[in-house]
Amino acid sequence: MIVAGVDFGTLSVRVTLMETGSGATLASASAGYPLKRSPADPLLGAQAHADHMRALAHAMYQAVAQAGIDGDRVAALACDTTGSSVVMVDADLQPLADYYLWCDHRAHAEAAEITALARAESLEALEWCGGTYSHEWGYAKLLHFLRHNPDLRPRLATALEHCDMVATTLCGIENIEDIPRSICAAGHKWMYGAKWGGLPSQDFLSRVDPLLDGINEKLHGRFLTSDAIAGHLSPQWATKLGLKPGIPIPVGAFDAHWDALGAGAMPGDIVNVVGTSTCIIAMAPDGFQPVPGLCGVVPGSVLPGWTGIEAGQSATGDVFEAIARRAGSDVATLCQGLDSMPPGGSGLMRLNWDNGDRTVLVRSDLGAVTLGWDLNHSAADEMHAAIEGMAMHVRIITERIESGGTQTARILNAGGIPQKNDLLNQIYADVLGRELHVPATSPTGTGSCVAAAVAAGAFATFQAAQQVLCPPTRVFAPRHDRRDGYERLFALFRELYFGFGQGAAVDLASVLPRLRGFRLDAASHQKGTP
């Protein structure tokens, strides 16, 4: 049986075709679409639904041709997307405007207002998304749209996450009540929870802003986990994709959640899905309670029967690329030879808040900080400090997840970057002080193939599909001679992270001398002197 997994990323869509009997990848093809930015509004990040769907058709035809098969042999299709990427639609479920992409930060004021009222009223739903409602999430973006598009307000029928919009479009669904609403999206971005009856109360939302009056009635649909079927491929879209009409399409999810599945993550694992940003996914037993600062704790958001935990970094690969671009170089070149640098050997410490902080501070108003510069520093030094800073931030997030009482089985680095950067994987292992597992091949698209295979009936459970479809992992062991150095460096990083981020007390006079000490120790090590 052949299944198609679709992964909508920030800049392109990838279609992966896998054979469920052998677990072989038959083809993988991608097609890009523009990310709309504006110098006049640096917080804007938008994309067009039509661009997404044209790219999907192009990538699907490429993948089928590459595999050398007839499209009629594809038995199921599953789609994951970025999130929270939100589109407002009319009564015909046609877009009223472009998507507010996940990286659109225009709704920061709206998010602050939602957070303030929710905290004042001890809204339970807020606790389950870490105690702060993010500017990246659904209600904030919806309110921003209503405030800034008065001419379109009368035509607003509903708002959709990208994963739900794609499934709705492909299945030819025409009524709001029939829309498949992903528990993954609703729980992590829209404060949905079965415990308090679904969406937050309409009374609360109306008191945030009367423009939200009646909004929950417009957000109807079927709220389901990804083992449910959203619908079946419509004849219209079967023709556009070159596939057979009527094949099942499961309820979608966010890319990072299914990337975790594609990496082979099981309950108890923590997965860093490292790409342009990092989304961190974990699964805990039902009963896991909310933890301050995490992006969300949602039963069923990754695997049915388990509680999904989400955290993340607002920029990762983007930071590395920006450092390389400013130096007129590339990431791979700047990383050459850095594997021998000891902990903090550059003498620099970088807080990677270039796009704000998603977890655990949840502050979009922060900017990156690099401390310790002298006249001899290079772009390669900054790159090493940036990778160390990412790893130490991941350690803070990992410790916060574990503070909720769950024990970590394995830590994995998935996403598009780890397969291309062994330096990053080794530093993560050293900083975390634990083995780091990295899929031997990129799992991007594998998670959606897992979901498609279950929808097609090839496997009874997601775990059974993972055993066949997911790649093996390589293991990076922490280097014991780096342990003490990284413990000292992490202690300093933690002071600065919560000092700049939360106003915790820091002995500022000691910071630069301590960084200089790391640099001098590294120089002594290079000379072979004690």
Side-chain angles (χ1 to χ4, degrees):
M1 185 182 293
I2 297 172
V3 295
V6 177
D7 174 83
F8 281 93
T10 303
L11 299 175
S12 64
V13 60
R14 177 169 296 279
V15 173
T16 302
L17 299 179
M18 298 189 76
E19 205 282 314
T20 61
S22 64
T25 298
L26 304 180
S28 183
S30 63
Y33 31 70
L35 169 59
K36 301 179 183 181
R37 294 287 199 182
S38 171
D41 188 354
L43 301 182
L44 180 143
Q47 280 175 343
H49 176 65
D51 289 340
H52 287 156
M53 301 310 291
R54 277 194 295 268
L56 171 60
H58 184 66
M60 184 66 73
Y61 269 95
Q62 278 189 311
V64 169
Q66 185 186 123
I69 63 170
D70 190 310
D72 283 354
R73 293 185 59 194
V74 175
L77 167 67
C79 302
D80 66 54
T81 69
T82 61
S84 184
S85 293
V86 183
V87 64
M88 319 307 165
V89 301
D90 63 16
D92 296 321
L93 303 186
Q94 296 303 304
L96 293 171
D98 287 338
Y99 278 92
Y100 281 70
L101 206 62
W102 69 271
C103 55
D104 187 301
H105 292 173
R106 288 175 290 171
H108 55 91
E110 288 75 12
E113 292 169 36
I114 293 170
T115 298
L117 184 60
R119 286 178 178 172
E121 300 189 357
S122 300
L123 186 73
E124 184 177 11
L126 189 69
E127 296 178 20
W128 289 79
C129 56
T132 301
Y133 197 76
S134 172
H135 56 286
E136 294 184 1
W137 297 349
Y139 278 115
K141 289 175 173 175
L142 175 53
L143 181 54
H144 184 276
F145 174 85
L146 291 170
R147 287 176 172 176
H148 294 271
N149 296 276
D151 56 322
L152 295 177
R153 285 178 204 156
R155 296 175 56 198
L156 175 71
T158 191
L160 288 164
E161 285 285 344
H162 189 185
C163 60
D164 299 334
M165 180 64 170
V166 172
T168 295
T169 301
L170 293 177
C171 296
I173 293 171
E174 298 178 347
N175 299 315
I176 291 176
E177 292 76 12
D178 297 328
I179 289 173
R181 302 270 186 181
S182 166
I183 289 290
C184 177
H188 286 290
K189 312 302 181 185
W190 294 82
M191 294 191 284
Y192 179 94
K195 184 179 180 183
W196 50 88
L199 296 168
S201 75
Q202 181 59 62
D203 176 64
F204 167 78
L205 295 169
S206 295
R207 282 184 287 111
V208 171
D209 191 311
L211 287 175
L212 292 174
D213 282 349
I215 197 63
N216 279 355
E217 291 184 4
K218 296 181 177 182
L219 297 176
H220 281 171
R222 299 173 291 135
F223 291 84
L224 301 164
T225 52
S226 291
D227 56 336
I229 302 299
H232 296 81
L233 186 63
S234 71
Q236 177 189 10
W237 275 99
T239 299
K240 291 182 179 181
L241 298 179
L243 304 180
K244 181 173 58 179
I247 62 174
I249 298 174
V251 173
F254 290 153
D255 50 4
H257 295 71
W258 279 6
D259 279 351
L261 291 181
M266 296 292 178
D269 293 342
I270 295 178
V271 185
N272 307 309
V273 183
V274 188
T276 54
S277 64
T278 293
C279 195
I280 298 174
I281 302 296
M283 287 173 279
D286 279 348
F288 184 87
Q289 294 301 300
V291 176
L294 301 185
C295 297
V297 175
V298 179
S301 70
V302 185
L303 280 178
W306 293 85
T307 296
I309 302 165
E310 181 182 343
Q313 296 167 309
S314 295
T316 306
D318 278 351
V319 173
F320 305 149
E321 292 290 344
I323 292 169
R325 185 174 61 251
R326 289 194 292 265
S329 184
D330 59 75
V331 175
T333 298
L334 292 182
C335 286
Q336 288 176 4
L338 296 181
D339 55 325
S340 62
M341 186 176 287
S346 68
L348 298 177
M349 177 161 286
R350 199 176 198 283
L351 299 166
N352 297 300
W353 291 327
D354 303 66
N355 202 20
D357 182 282
R358 181 180 296 160
T359 309
V360 295
L361 302 173
V362 198
R363 288 190 59 179
S364 63
D365 57 344
L366 297 177
V369 180
T370 305
L371 295 168
W373 288 106
D374 64 36
L375 295 175
N376 295 311
H377 276 117
S378 67
D381 291 323
E382 185 182 8
M383 182 65 72
H384 190 266
I387 294 173
E388 287 184 323
M390 292 294 179
M392 290 187 286
H393 188 188
V394 165
R395 180 168 168 178
I396 282 177
I397 295 168
T398 299
E399 291 179 354
R400 183 63 63 91
I401 292 172
E402 291 174 336
S403 73
T406 185
Q407 290 189 334
T408 303
R410 296 181 303 165
I411 297 179
L412 297 93
N413 266 6
I417 288 179
Q419 278 75 33
K420 300 178 289 188
N421 196 324
D422 283 357
L423 174 69
L424 177 140
N425 298 322
Q426 186 60 61
I427 289 176
Y428 275 45
D430 292 339
V431 168
L432 292 166
R434 312 185 195 192
E435 288 186 345
L436 190 77
H437 295 253
V438 179
T441 58
S442 174
T444 301
T446 303
S448 49
C449 285
V450 167
V454 173
F459 302 97
T461 66
F462 283 85
Q463 292 95 324
Q466 286 177 290
Q467 293 295 326
V468 176
L469 301 181
C470 295
T473 61
R474 296 184 295 146
V475 179
F476 290 78
R479 294 174 288 189
H480 295 296
D481 62 339
R482 308 297 172 102
R483 170 181 278 180
D484 290 344
Y486 274 125
E487 286 300 316
R488 289 187 293 114
L489 192 69
F490 178 69
L492 176 56
F493 180 88
R494 186 181 182 86
E495 289 176 38
L496 293 171
Y497 180 89
F498 289 107
F500 280 110
Q502 286 186 337
V506 179
D507 179 8
L508 292 176
S510 74
V511 172
L512 297 179
R514 288 159 73 184
L515 289 174
R516 179 61 58 87
F518 281 103
R519 185 157 168 77
L520 294 176
D521 287 346
S524 296
H525 177 77
Q526 278 187 324
K527 292 176 183 178
T529 58

